[in-house]
């Protein structure tokens, strides 16, 4: 099972949700944001190297509370990365580890589209602002064209009651509300997924609910 | 190109349906244009116009034998014919934004990837952005020569670049590039010092010549400070470089012996 976490707009919390949903699914999370990596890096080969044909995708796995395939942080690496290798690389990780969560970049360029093309399903992240929803709708169209079925959408960092009904209607998938919680915000940098650190929190419940929507 | 159409009137709107089939053995790009006297209202999903449509019509890419049904509306009287095939061009079946295909990529399985790559813009940061960084790597295309950072040992362009200094900071080609960049810097410093030397105790004729060379005396402003700064930096660099060279010469790592033992 390959799940893409996408959203069109930057800064809505795709990486944070990808990391935490991966924790709930006991999955590997791949930092597919080739130009602006967000997940913790580390020594050793990363996704840039795998996509440049310089490393075996399995070698890029980095163990942690959630296993991560980090992405390089150099522009040269982003240029050298060949997206045509992504499908085979992700498939190799899926064969070895089961479920894979792809943290997709913002935008509608090839680096955002190819992970959706590679994925079996996608999860859209929107912030409660209207302009984020517009980007999410465009990404939903892209996902539909590329055959990544939409399993749900996350309305992230909610501080007051959002129009979930309207968002679910616009995106055509059930919307889950992920309340603003500083533990979620810190979870990626500290590598402490919220389902582990605060399993009884509303945020952890929302993450588990999103994970339950993922088939297989 | 097999082409059929049909038009309906609904109030003051004309609804046009058409069917197009590529009966050639090669993929074709087809441009179908409306002849109605109003902008095309393309099919939309969730308010977003479908790919390929614009005000005048639609551009499609059809595989050999592929058939496609289309429809649009326009606020105009029906015309006869309402649509026409404006252009048919051959499409290179392997045309991809990424250039040549990597040897180990699975072409058959990557069709969804290929479709995404074909439809979407190139994601890669512009070459100039990469060349501006310290770890600027090899380039694509035929314009490589213009780049001062491309060392003689840069890998050949095959559409797939080497992983860069992030993965192998001490790789021979990275090092060659680093030394190339240092050489380029030293040449710039040398040009400044040349100029300063010629101006030192210069007669009027030489000074005039130098000023003319650099397009006016404003260009020389700050030259003395910059050359003084160059001197300080070069002195420090030279001391460090010669110390490193001495240490390098003094080492004698028994690598061969270690390899024999391993």
């Amino acid at each position: 099972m390959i799940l893409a976490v996408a959203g069109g707009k930057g800064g809505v919390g795709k990486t944070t949700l990808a990391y935490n949903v991966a924790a709930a699914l006991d999955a590997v999370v791949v930092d597919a944001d080739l130009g602006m990596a967000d997940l913790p890096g580390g020594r050793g080969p990363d996704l840039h190297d795998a996509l440049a044909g310089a490393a075996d995708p399995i070698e890029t796995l980095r163990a942690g509370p959630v296993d991560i395939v980090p992405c390089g942080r150099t522009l040269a690496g982003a240029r050298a990365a060949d997206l045509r290798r992504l499908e085979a690389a992700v498939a190799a990780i899926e064969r070895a580890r089961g479920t894979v969560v792809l943290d997709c970049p913002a935008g509608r360029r090839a680096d955002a589209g190819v992970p959706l093309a590679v994925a079996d399903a996608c999860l859209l992240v929107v912030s409660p602002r209207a302009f984020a929803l517009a980007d999410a709708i465009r990404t939903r169209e892209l996902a539909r064209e590329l055959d990544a079925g939409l399993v749900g959408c996350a309305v992230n960092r909610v501080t007051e009651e959002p129009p979930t009904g309207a968002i679910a209607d616009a995106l055509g998938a059930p919307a889950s509300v992920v309340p603003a919680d500083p533990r979620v915000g810190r979870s990626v940098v500290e590598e402490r997924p919220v389902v582990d650190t605060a399993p009884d929190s509303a945020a952890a419940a929302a993450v588990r609910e999103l994970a339950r929507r993922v088939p297989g | 190109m097999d082409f059929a159409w049909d038009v309906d009137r609904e109030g003051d709107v004309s609804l046009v349906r058409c069917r197009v089939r590529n009966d050639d053995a090669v993929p074709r790009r087809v441009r179908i244009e409306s002849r109605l006297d109003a902008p095309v209202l393309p099919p939309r999903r969730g308010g977003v116009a479908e790919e390929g449509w614009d005000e005048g019509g639609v551009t499609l890419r059809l595989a050999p034998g592929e058939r496609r049904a289309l429809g649009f509306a326009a606020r105009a009287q029906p015309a006869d014919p309402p649509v026409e095939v404006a252009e048919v061009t051959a499409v290179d079946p392997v045309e991809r934004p990424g250039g040549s295909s990597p040897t180990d990529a699975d072409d058959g399985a990557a069709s969804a990837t290929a479709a995404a790559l074909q439809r979407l813009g190139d994601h890669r940061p512009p070459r100039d952005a990469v060349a501006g960084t310290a770890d600027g790597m090899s380039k694509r295309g035929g314009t490589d020569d213009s780049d001062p950072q491309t060392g003689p040992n840069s890998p050949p362009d095959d559409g797939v670049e080497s992983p860069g200094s992030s993965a192998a900071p001490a790789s021979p080609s990275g090092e060659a590039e680093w030394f190339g960049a240092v050489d380029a810097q030293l040449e710039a410093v040398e040009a400044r010092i040349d100029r300063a030397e010629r101006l030192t105790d210069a007669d009027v004729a030489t000074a005039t010549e130098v000023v003319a060379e650099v397009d006016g005396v404003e260009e020389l402003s700050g030259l003395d400070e910059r050359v003084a700064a160059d001197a300080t930096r070069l002195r420090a660099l030279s001391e460090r470089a010669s110390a490193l060279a001495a240490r390098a010469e003094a080492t004698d790592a028994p690598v061969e012996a270690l390899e024999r033992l391993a």
Side-chain angles (χ1 to χ4, degrees):
Chain A
M1 174 67 202
I2 302 169
L3 175 75
V5 177
K9 195 182 165 340
V12 293
K14 289 184 291 296
T15 302
T16 311
L17 269 178
Y19 183 81
N20 283 288
V21 169
L25 289 169
D26 198 17
V28 175
V29 60
V30 175
D31 194 344
D33 195 342
L34 302 179
M36 225 187 286
D38 262 340
L39 283 165
R43 292 175 173 280
D46 54 40
L47 189 65
H48 278 172
D49 301 321
L51 297 186
D56 186 317
I58 299 299
E59 289 172 6
T60 61
L61 273 166
R62 192 174 142 283
V66 180
D67 291 354
I68 294 176
V69 172
C71 187
R73 270 132 170 102
T74 63
L75 287 174
R79 257 189 84 73
D82 187 336
L83 282 167
R84 282 167 292 170
R85 290 199 170 95
L86 185 70
E87 183 161 21
V90 173
I93 295 165
E94 187 195 18
R95 273 196 302 277
R97 306 300 294 275
T99 308
V100 179
V101 175
L102 299 175
D103 176 24
C104 299
R108 270 173 60 92
R109 302 190 80 82
D111 55 344
V114 172
L116 286 171
V118 164
D120 303 310
C122 74
L123 182 68
L124 286 178
V125 185
V126 295
S127 80
R129 305 279 182 83
F131 51 80
L133 182 59
D135 276 343
I137 289 173
R138 286 190 204 105
T139 304
R140 190 270 317 264
E141 287 305 315
L142 184 63
R144 182 180 285 169
E145 288 158 18
L146 296 171
D147 282 338
L150 179 60
V151 294
C153 48
V155 188
N156 199 19
R157 292 191 203 131
V158 168
T159 48
E160 46 197 71
E161 198 55 39
T164 21
I167 292 170
D169 284 352
L171 291 174
S176 307
V177 171
V178 183
D181 184 330
R183 287 168 294 194
V184 179
R186 286 196 302 263
S187 60
V188 174
V189 177
E190 294 178 355
E191 294 201 54
R192 283 151 53 96
V194 70
V195 288
D196 292 348
T197 53
D200 299 327
S201 63
V207 166
R208 281 193 299 266
E209 182 192 333
L210 285 165
R212 268 198 302 276
R213 298 233 172 86
V214 180
Chain B
M1 205 55 58
D2 186 30
F3 187 60
W5 53 265
D6 192 8
V7 58
D8 276 341
R9 182 98 190 271
E10 195 69 54
D12 54 355
V13 176
S14 294
L15 302 172
V16 180
R17 290 183 297 243
C18 57
R19 227 173 39 212
V20 57
R21 179 173 175 272
N22 177 11
D23 44 16
D24 286 320
V26 289
R28 296 279 187 204
R29 186 171 291 122
V30 190
R31 169 79 188 162
I32 294 166
E33 283 187 352
S34 162
R35 294 187 65 252
L36 301 182
D37 194 21
V40 164
L41 306 172
R44 288 166 189 274
R45 255 191 208 156
V48 181
E50 291 211 330
E51 207 76 34
W53 287 86
D54 53 52
E55 281 202 347
V58 63
T59 307
L60 302 169
R61 187 182 187 284
L62 295 176
E66 185 179 354
R67 187 194 302 271
R68 196 83 68 85
L70 322 154
F72 66 89
R75 289 180 208 284
Q77 298 288 328
D80 188 23
V83 277
E84 63 185 359
V85 175
E87 199 185 355
V88 181
T89 50
V91 181
D92 178 0
V94 293
E95 176 188 292
R96 281 173 182 174
S100 63
S101 97
T103 48
D104 54 348
D106 184 353
D107 272 6
S111 57
T113 301
L117 285 170
Q118 242 160 29
R119 302 255 303 268
L120 304 172
D122 190 4
H123 74 286
R124 300 178 316 151
R127 183 162 61 86
D128 291 346
V130 178
T133 61
D135 57 0
M137 280 301 299
S138 66
K139 320 295 162 333
R140 295 185 73 252
T143 56
D144 292 6
D145 299 343
S146 61
D147 195 303
Q149 298 230 335
T150 308
N153 295 341
S154 288
D157 177 43
D158 56 3
V160 179
E161 292 151 46
S162 61
S165 43
S166 60
S171 74
S173 94
E175 233 163 48
E177 250 169 81
W178 183 84
F179 281 114
V182 169
D183 278 348
Q185 289 290 325
L186 286 176
E187 265 153 40
V189 170
E190 189 169 12
R192 266 203 299 276
I193 295 173
D194 270 348
R195 203 163 286 148
E197 276 174 345
R198 284 166 65 198
L199 285 170
T200 306
D201 300 329
D203 55 5
V204 176
T206 320
T208 315
E209 200 179 303
V210 173
V211 170
E213 250 177 46
V214 296
D215 283 342
V217 75
E218 310 82 67
E219 294 291 318
L220 292 173
S221 78
L223 180 69
D224 43 354
E225 286 103 301
R226 292 185 70 187
V227 170
D230 285 340
T232 317
R233 236 178 278 140
L234 286 168
R235 186 76 62 202
L237 182 65
S238 138
E239 276 162 19
R240 185 149 183 222
S242 55
L244 282 174
R247 279 169 61 189
E249 279 160 10
T251 59
D252 180 21
V255 175
E256 274 182 34
L258 288 172
E259 274 169 357
R260 271 198 306 277
L261 289 172

